[in-house]
Amino acid sequence: MAIAVRLRWCLQIFMLEACVVLTHAANLDYLRSTLTNYFSDTRHHAVKPEYKQRTATFIHDEFIRFGLETTYHNFVFDGVEYANIIGVLKGDNFGTYDDQIIGVGAHYDTVNVTKGVDDNGSGSAALLEVARQMTSLESKRKHTVIFTAFDREEYEYATFDGRFYGALGSKYLISQWLLPWIQKNYPQTVGTFSPYGIIVLDTLMDYNNSARSQIIPPDSLQEFQQLFPGVVKNLQSDNLQGDFLATIFRTQSDSRLANEFHQQWGKMGRADYEIEMFGLAPNLPDDVLNKVADLNRSDHINFWAKNIPAIFLSDSANLRGKMQDCYHHTCDSLEVMLNDDNLNFLAKTSDTIAATVDKLSQSYAAVSGAPGVGKTVLTLMTASSICVFLIQTASRL
Ligand SMILES: *[C@@H]1O[C@H](CO)[C@@H](O)[C@H](O)[C@H]1NC(C)=O
Ligand SMILES: *[C@@H]1O[C@H](CO)[C@@H](O)[C@H](O)[C@H]1NC(C)=O
Ligand SMILES: *[C@@H]1O[C@H](CO)[C@@H](O)[C@H](O)[C@H]1NC(C)=O
Ligand SMILES: CC(=O)N[C@H]1CO[C@H](CO)[C@@H](O)[C@@H]1O
């Protein structure tokens, strides 16, 4: 038989395998339809309460559809009722000393004047995509995973009595739901609990590879240089392109999570979608920290405050490209934010989160024959051996 025919078989088998592998990759249609149908208009209690409620119900129902143990955590602030949504994927170690919980969280609310597609529809869409991916494979895992959609991260009045009122949903979630839940389910571990931590997603899809589309705030350039010399050098030698995902973490407490995420990012392909690691050393002086407060502006700070590891992923919001004008404005909209590059960038981030959480939670194929990771590797090996055989026999003819 002609070698060309055999090579074609070979190619077909590989294409089949590529399809199997692709079931692990982000579903662009799901990301697109989630953003379009549920995260393209204001989600604010006073401006569009029905739209916000509808989005919350969608997240809740999706969590249930994915088989997560799902619950609302309601809280009241300043006379208004808010709702966090929580979905738990129990690992084999649930309830025992050995469980090392991993969280993924994003806020789904917006300020009162924006459509909030990038801030933070993108993080919420990634949150759902990660949950979808991780539950669509028939795999089990050793460690428990918690998915959380936070309410009331946003605020319009910063300081009516001199205090910070952002990121309230995660703050109340930790004190009113998470800590009591740990106490109830892991009573023997009190005081020794060591979770891997949580990956916080906020504003993820503004990819921009034009020169000078990334801003480093001029009045804190010196501090950024002092804290992250490698990052600043990379950006400057790259013409300040806004073509990377920023990963913010504390070198002392969050490195396990940050390093794994960084490694998985490297394995995902699309090297043009870059990553920069902003590792904060311990015991930095307050005056320096205050100058880089942009690293401080999402739900991760509440986990840090409770000594729970957390890494914060962001496109840097108003410091980049179109979000310079659209951040917290009407043009953070589908028309401006939803394009192929942004969607693929969001897909790479979702895939990396899923791979990171899969790895750290020690997932394994549940049933032999199920389309888990193990089976994919096995079929890939089979396919390659068949191909080697075909090529060898063909070359002998
Ligand atoms: C948004 O909130 C600010 C601060 O409370 C207020 O001044 C403004 O009128 C609000 N805008 C809308 C559209 O509700
Ligand atoms: C973040 O905010 C907290 C509380 O306001 C503050 O203690 C901390 O120093 C800030 N950290 C950074 C990195 O700015
Ligand atoms: C990239 O950013 C620049 C501003 O620096 C903006 O003018 C341009 O429209 C952006 N491009 C995309 C594709 O978002
Ligand atoms: C990453 C990011 O820009 N998040 C924003 C979400 O909204 C809060 C509250 O308005 C901002 O402080 C954050 O900067």
Side-chain angles (χ1 to χ4, degrees), residues 11-24:
L11 203 65
Q12 277 167 350
I13 291 172
F14 266 112
M15 274 159 65
L16 199 72
E17 285 314 311
C19 290
V20 177
V21 173
L22 278 180
T23 58
H24 294 265

Side-chain angles (χ1 to χ4, degrees), residues 223-340:
E223 285 75 14
F224 271 93
Q225 247 153 357
Q226 178 186 343
L227 297 179
F228 319 107
V231 172
V232 173
K233 211 171 123 217
N234 285 349
L235 300 190
Q236 286 173 340
S237 66
D238 206 18
N239 281 319
L240 292 172
Q241 294 180 36
D243 58 358
F244 62 91
L245 181 73
T247 303
I248 290 111
F249 67 105
R250 300 165 302 171
T251 53
Q252 197 167 48
S253 327
D254 311 319
S255 286
R256 281 198 307 178
L257 203 49
N259 291 344
E260 190 60 47
F261 184 80
H262 191 196
Q263 273 185 26
Q264 295 294 339
W265 184 273
K267 293 182 189 165
M268 284 299 156
R270 286 306 300 249
D272 48 334
Y273 296 151
E274 298 183 16
I275 188 167
E276 292 294 346
M277 306 298 288
F278 294 77
L280 287 159
N283 306 319
L284 295 168
D286 275 347
D287 56 327
V288 176
L289 282 180
N290 290 338
K291 294 279 267 183
V292 295
D294 284 327
L295 305 179
N296 209 1
R297 53 188 197 178
S298 195
D299 295 292
H300 61 298
I301 56 167
N302 290 318
F303 293 88
W304 286 0
K306 294 287 181 194
N307 289 323
I308 299 172
I311 66 173
F312 167 41
L313 308 181
S314 177
D315 62 21
S316 81
N318 55 315
L319 300 177
R320 175 178 302 174
K322 287 180 176 154
M323 284 293 275
Q324 289 172 52
D325 296 325
C326 296
Y327 177 69
H328 288 182
H329 286 98
T330 12
C331 62
D332 179 4
S333 63
L334 284 185
E335 294 71 29
V336 174
M337 295 310 303
L338 190 63
N339 58 51
D340 284 352

